[in-house]
Amino acid sequence: MDKKVFMEKFTGRLPKDIKSATPQQLHNALGETVMELYSDRWSVAREEHLSKRRAAYLSMEFLVGRAVFNNLLCLGIYDEVNDAFKELGLDLADLEVIEDAALGNGGLGRLAACFLDSAATLGLPLDGYGIRYKYGLFKQSIVDGFQREDIDDWTKYGDPWSRRCDEDTLLIEYSGQTVKAVPYDMPIFGCRTENVGTLRLWQAEPVKEFDFDTFNKQDYLEASKEKIYAEDISRVLYPNDDTNEGKKLRLKQQYFFSCASLTDILRKHKARFGTLDNLADYISVQLNDTHPVISIPELIRQLVDNEGWTFEKALSTAKKVFNYTNHTVMQEALEKWWTGLVEEVLPRIYEIIIQINEELIAEMYANGVQKDKTNRIKIIKGELIHMADMACYASSHINGVAEIHTQILRDSVLADWYSLYPERFRNETNGITQRRWLALCNKELSSLITEKIGDGWLTDLSQLRELSKYADDSSVLDSFIKVKQTKKQQLADYIKAREGVETDPNSVFDIQIKRLHEYKRQLLNAFSILWIYYGIKDGSITNFKPTTFIFGAKSAPGYKRAKAIIKYINEIGRIVSTDPDTRDLIKVVFVQNYNVSYAEKLVAAADVSEQISTAGTEASGTGNMKLMLNGAVTLGTYDGANIEIVQEAGEENNYIFGARVEDLARIVPEYDSRRVFAEDKMIKRVVSSLIDGTVSDGGSGDFRELYMSLLDGASWHAPDHYYLLGDIRSYVETKLRCISDYDSDRAAFARKQWLNMCNAGKFSSDRTIADYAENIWNIK
Ligand SMILES: *Cc1c(COP(=O)(O)O)cnc(C)c1O
């Protein structure tokens, strides 16, 4: 970068009195300047992507977070820009107030963002397609212990990292409604390469802004009707992590970006090659979960209706183009649409789905597949369209996101499909980008690493393994402990500023950050804290080392139990901090508005990473990888990628507890949570806190409902479906051992932490993406 040119362009965009510029003005000026300086590089890369076989990543969510610092880092101009700011009497850190682009709920959306980062860095022609929601994931505050939601108007002050591309606008047709899809492109800068990827996000707009005649007749609302209905389509991100929100608007959203993205892909292909006959040679489309699966009938529709292809030829092309990633084993997240709804909104798509379904049945019959198996895998069952079955039928590759998850897909969730097409199944263990999740969020640890082994790890994380040789070098471990201490102090300062709560950086930082869900078992964590509290009070737990238990989690606004768990955690926090016997030993902090930027601060400061989902429920997890990479030990179950984490870093360097998948298969049929409750005094005491007046849910009855879910179950699940009472003893014992290990030998504990970091190389999304590129997309 030419610093002089940068200065000129940057200051030219600032007010005369530079010091008076607000952070938002600085951000816009910086973003616009960088976009201008690198626009040629971006154009060249776009052209290059179009000229060869490429892949498109279709995802309803991209949880990109804050772009500015990451872009500077990946472009290699962070220090230069930082200096430029100083020369102007400005502080780059002031841009920390810039809002995240929170266009996703959690892991699935963040994965999509990490994948684009890795593909750009690896020089691969991969581009993302999604929706430009006006409002991202809601902003959370905690009032009186309860979650409150507010809208997230993330573009209020502008969006300098996007470029509107009117020339690529197209029309999307629903029955009785036509809307415009306008693309906004974000550059994804690769690190140490000229490659730049593109994230194209579609925004819904009316074909006609406004009906002037109606306006003149003074019916203002009627005059804007078309605009409102059109904009509704990209107005909000569904704040739902893993349940199938059966809404017409959501179906419209899915079709909106699927149709727009495919139209865009076909248009560009045709413009270049003059034909779509070779489409499958040049494009591979990854379907991120079932949300974009409506792309399958849509591609067929375009090829048949617009290009005059036969249905058979179109289907056979679709089977080559698409690949499907499954992200969950939760039944409620495997999307099913009511046939009547699809027929009403998208009648032509509905016809094509019927045709695909008929073809499937005919093909199975011809291949001698048993009728009952065909009935299980067909796309339309009764009045429901099963999107996962459509995806399996019309994809060349199907993948899970961690070894155990892929195995569960093969063994149960997709067993019928596996028996038919075993060669389609692959495992692709998730990953995270080390640019954001180490280089950016932990400059101190990055410096220590680079001092020892150079900075090659930025683009090859496996190099961290070379650091294992320092595991017994006390001076290196001392430096590591100092770094961790610095990050804890920084987090403590931040928590003080943001939450108004004091935390002690000399205490153990035990952190659980992830969406609030019953299967993730934040309630188990809260129970364990109360257990420890009771133990300290009655003298059965002695010499407890001061520990800060930090939670960060958003609950879907309509998910009552999850919201009750948030309140419960805050109630436990109140109890331990108001009791003089424990207030210096236990601290509970529930941070508000957990998002990517908060995560960057939390992962760097963690001593202990809580990954405690019921075995078999967390497909992979990626939070676990972020904390490991920053030198935390995992306190977790044998679930998702935890298993691979322990394989890489050693069981002896982590704290594993609880029933495993194979144990649960044996236990669950006989499991009786009421008996456990009745026979174990401590379990009884802790669980009873929900109803015995220990804590208050403000009279809502929500704690009683949680209590009942553990002991009585509900129409839709057995009592204690997630096995909290079964795992709690093993959990508390392991947790106490972990905290006591930290206390009794800080150096030995630091050695474990260090070795976790050294062995995190496998969990770079660079490794994941290189594998997708080679084995699924066949791109270079
Ligand atoms: C990484 C990340 C997640 C996913 O966390 P898990 O522990 O894997 O569920 C969710 N939200 C944010 C903001 C993240 O950065």
Side-chain angles (χ1 to χ4, degrees):
M1 188 182 75
D2 186 329
K3 181 108 167 265
K4 220 177 114 212
V5 178
F6 170 83
M7 278 298 206
E8 242 171 63
K9 291 186 183 294
F10 178 53
T11 52
R13 288 180 163 99
L14 292 175
K16 284 253 148 22
D17 172 15
I18 289 180
K19 288 249 176 64
S20 74
T22 64
Q24 288 77 19
Q25 284 173 318
L26 291 173
H27 179 238
N28 285 336
L30 176 58
E32 285 163 18
T33 304
V34 172
M35 290 283 274
E36 188 190 333
L37 292 176
Y38 290 90
S39 87
D40 288 348
R41 183 189 283 194
W42 191 10
S43 302
V44 171
R46 289 166 84 111
E47 192 50 34
E48 175 120 6
H49 284 200
L50 289 175
S51 71
K52 49 189 176 190
R53 180 172 169 85
R54 67 184 184 116
Y57 199 82
L58 265 60
S59 178
M60 191 112 168
E61 302 185 13
F62 285 91
L63 189 46
V64 284
R66 199 184 283 135
V68 54
F69 300 123
N70 192 64
N71 284 348
L72 298 180
L73 179 109
C74 287
L75 286 167
I77 57 173
Y78 191 101
D79 292 336
E80 260 178 292
V81 170
N82 199 19
D83 291 344
F85 266 60
K86 277 188 200 144
E87 279 171 40
L88 295 167
L90 301 167
D91 188 355
L92 188 58
D94 288 347
L95 302 192
E96 291 235 354
V97 301
I98 298 305
E99 310 260 351
D100 280 23
L103 309 183
N105 275 295
L108 174 145
R110 185 53 233 174
L111 183 78
C114 281
F115 278 4
L116 295 185
D117 176 287
S118 284
T121 295
L122 291 171
L124 291 166
L126 174 78
D127 299 295
Y129 288 92
I131 299 175
R132 187 170 193 263
Y133 301 103
K134 177 162 174 56
Y135 301 115
L137 185 59
F138 66 87
K139 281 195 186 156
Q140 178 202 55
S141 56
I142 302 292
V143 178
D144 195 21
F146 292 102
Q147 167 172 298
R148 274 242 194 111
E149 300 104 25
D150 268 301
I151 56 159
D152 167 47
D153 191 359
W154 68 285
T155 58
K156 189 162 60 186
Y157 299 106
D159 173 21
W161 301 103
S162 291
R163 192 163 80 191
R164 183 180 166 106
C165 297
D166 281 299
E167 66 278 15
D168 283 348
T169 292
L170 35 90
L171 295 177
I172 310 294
E173 312 248 6
Y174 304 95
S175 177
Q177 185 186 22
T178 302
V179 302
K180 281 204 272 190
V182 184
Y184 281 73
D185 289 355
M186 283 185 188
I188 310 293
F189 296 112
C191 182
R192 299 192 173 154
T193 160
E194 303 264 298
N195 187 33
V196 184
T198 299
L199 170 55
R200 170 157 280 196
L201 299 176
W202 300 97
Q203 174 167 296
E205 294 182 9
V207 176
K208 199 164 142 201
E209 267 296 301
F210 190 72
D211 190 306
F212 206 69
D213 284 346
T214 317
F215 180 76
N216 283 334
K217 288 181 206 129
Q218 310 220 325
D219 189 346
Y220 305 121
L221 212 57
E222 186 64 27
S224 304
K225 210 167 94 181
E226 186 190 333
K227 180 174 161 73
I228 294 167
Y229 288 156
E231 290 176 354
D232 273 347
I233 293 171
S234 58
R235 198 178 310 280
V236 284
L237 165 74
Y238 272 79
N240 227 323
D241 204 8
D242 56 2
T243 62
N244 174 24
E245 189 78 28
K247 291 271 167 60
K248 184 168 166 181
L249 189 55
R250 180 152 169 121
L251 177 64
K252 281 178 146 186
Q253 287 187 330
Q254 296 187 351
Y255 182 69
F256 173 71
F257 92 98
S258 296
C259 173
S261 307
L262 284 173
T263 308
D264 188 63
I265 289 166
L266 296 195
R267 246 195 213 174
K268 293 201 166 125
H269 184 90
K270 213 167 171 185
R272 180 165 295 261
F273 298 98
T275 174
L276 295 178
D277 284 340
N278 58 355
L279 182 72
D281 298 335
Y282 282 89
I283 189 93
S284 186
V285 174
Q286 193 67 38
L287 303 169
N288 195 27
D289 214 324
T290 51
H291 319 139
V293 167
I294 200 112
S295 298
I296 292 169
E298 172 59 17
L299 176 64
I300 295 172
R301 184 191 71 81
Q302 294 199 21
L303 294 175
V304 170
D305 294 1
N306 303 347
E307 306 291 327
W309 287 27
T310 64
F311 173 79
E312 290 69 27
K313 184 178 168 195
L315 175 62
S316 131
T317 292
K319 285 182 176 181
K320 290 183 199 137
V321 165
F322 290 109
N323 306 288
Y324 161 58
T325 303
N326 174 287
H327 283 272
T328 176
V329 301
M330 305 268 146
Q331 275 307 315
E332 62 267 34
L334 294 169
E335 291 186 299
K336 300 159 196 83
W337 292 106
W338 180 50
T339 48
L341 179 68
V342 178
E343 186 176 17
E344 180 202 325
V345 180
L346 302 163
R348 179 64 183 132
I349 290 294
Y350 181 58
E351 281 177 9
I352 290 169
I353 293 173
I354 292 175
Q355 247 181 315
I356 301 173
N357 189 48
E358 281 167 1
E359 182 62 30
L360 179 156
I361 294 169
E363 192 181 318
M364 295 306 143
Y365 183 77
N367 293 339
V369 175
Q370 292 157 330
K371 192 133 191 266
D372 56 335
K373 185 185 274 188
T374 303
N375 282 335
R376 288 197 302 268
I377 63 164
K378 65 188 182 184
I379 297 163
I380 305 176
K381 292 188 265 275
E383 296 206 309
L384 292 177
I385 300 168
H386 292 244
M387 303 307 270
D389 291 309
M390 184 150 66
C392 289
Y393 179 57
S395 289
S396 17
H397 302 273
I398 300 162
N399 76 284
V401 292
E403 291 290 352
I404 188 180
H405 169 60
T406 301
Q407 200 53 47
I408 292 172
L409 295 182
R410 289 177 176 133
D411 292 345
S412 61
V413 181
L414 301 176
D416 287 322
W417 286 109
Y418 181 62
S419 70
L420 290 166
Y421 305 110
E423 72 287 354
R424 288 188 190 174
F425 282 71
R426 278 195 73 80
N427 175 59
E428 297 294 348
T429 299
N430 284 165
I432 54 166
T433 166
Q434 66 267 35
R435 269 76 64 186
R436 184 178 292 264
W437 297 111
L438 179 55
L440 192 65
C441 74
N442 202 337
K443 293 217 150 62
E444 296 82 353
L445 186 55
S446 300
S447 300
L448 175 60
I449 295 168
T450 297
E451 190 189 302
K452 297 293 170 212
I453 60 166
D455 61 6
W457 58 271
L458 254 183
T459 52
D460 174 11
L461 199 63
S462 68
Q463 292 183 15
L464 293 188
R465 197 152 262 160
E466 294 167 32
L467 293 163
S468 308
K469 63 174 182 249
Y470 299 108
D472 295 301
D473 180 327
S474 62
S475 96
V476 174
L477 283 190
D478 276 349
S479 308
F480 170 77
I481 292 172
K482 283 207 185 79
V483 166
K484 189 56 91 179
Q485 201 59 26
T486 304
K487 300 313 284 182
K488 287 164 76 174
Q489 182 66 58
Q490 289 170 2
L491 178 64
D493 295 344
Y494 190 73
I495 287 178
K496 175 77 181 131
R498 283 275 299 252
E499 323 295 340
V501 179
E502 299 277 357
T503 51
D504 176 7
N506 292 311
S507 64
V508 178
F509 275 19
D510 174 304
I511 301 188
Q512 186 175 21
I513 41 175
K514 48 189 72 257
R515 284 303 292 260
L516 205 312
H517 200 290
E518 288 165 273
Y519 85 80
K520 293 178 183 279
R521 300 201 295 191
Q522 283 97 346
L523 182 58
L524 178 63
N525 190 350
F527 280 156
S528 79
I529 298 168
L530 187 64
W531 184 305
I532 292 167
Y533 169 77
Y534 286 147
I536 293 171
K537 293 291 284 181
D538 70 16
S540 60
I541 295 174
T542 52
N543 297 322
F544 185 72
K545 161 85 187 168
T547 303
T548 305
F549 296 99
I550 302 174
F551 293 83
K554 288 179 183 174
S555 157
Y559 188 176
K560 279 189 75 133
R561 281 188 190 163
K563 292 181 121 173
I565 293 168
I566 292 177
K567 173 65 175 165
Y568 183 74
I569 293 166
N570 286 312
E571 283 291 295
I572 300 300
R574 186 183 51 74
I575 291 176
V576 299
S577 66
T578 50
D579 189 324
D581 291 343
T582 53
R583 69 172 165 229
D584 296 329
L585 291 176
I586 312 177
K587 184 110 204 173
V588 177
V589 184
F590 194 105
V591 304
Q592 303 175 89
N593 203 42
Y594 172 61
N595 61 8
V596 170
S597 291
Y598 219 138
E600 290 168 19
K601 303 193 181 293
L602 289 157
V603 300
D607 291 309
V608 181
S609 162
E610 295 261 2
Q611 307 298 338
I612 61 175
S613 51
T614 317
T617 62
E618 186 75 270
S620 164
T622 50
N624 46 5
M625 302 167 184
K626 299 168 197 166
L627 289 129
M628 174 200 202
L629 178 60
N630 283 273
V633 301
T634 296
L635 168 56
T637 47
Y638 244 70
D639 196 24
N642 298 353
I643 299 173
E644 291 160 69
I645 285 176
V646 169
Q647 267 165 15
E648 295 295 304
E651 183 124 19
E652 69 285 5
N653 296 316
N654 289 288
Y655 294 84
I656 301 302
F657 71 91
R660 302 185 177 196
V661 167
E662 56 275 23
D663 301 328
L664 288 172
R666 203 169 16 82
I667 298 167
V668 166
E670 318 258 285
Y671 178 57
D672 178 0
S673 63
R674 277 186 170 274
R675 206 178 67 214
V676 177
F677 178 85
E679 288 174 0
D680 188 318
K681 272 197 187 132
M682 196 60 166
I683 291 179
K684 184 170 187 173
R685 185 169 179 207
V686 165
V687 174
S688 297
S689 70
L690 285 164
I691 55 154
D692 65 7
T694 308
V695 291
S696 163
D697 60 9
S700 61
D702 292 343
F703 288 173
R704 176 164 293 273
E705 206 283 322
L706 277 182
Y707 177 84
M708 302 295 274
S709 78
L710 296 172
L711 296 176
D712 278 2
S715 58
W716 69 95
H717 70 81
D720 194 15
H721 181 58
Y722 293 111
Y723 203 61
L724 280 72
L725 276 52
D727 273 346
I728 192 166
R729 270 207 172 266
S730 152
Y731 176 47
V732 173
E733 275 164 24
T734 310
K735 187 175 222 169
L736 287 171
R737 179 161 58 82
C738 174
I739 293 167
S740 144
D741 281 357
Y742 180 102
D743 187 33
S744 59
D745 191 343
R746 180 68 187 98
F749 197 83
R751 182 178 189 276
K752 292 178 201 259
Q753 294 182 307
W754 179 261
L755 285 170
N756 271 281
M757 178 202 74
C758 297
N759 290 297
K762 175 176 176 184
F763 304 106
S764 168
S765 44
D766 297 351
R767 184 267 313 151
T768 318
I769 281 299
D771 201 274
Y772 273 96
E774 186 178 335
N775 294 305
I776 296 183
W777 303 328
N778 188 24
I779 56 169
K780 292 197 173 67

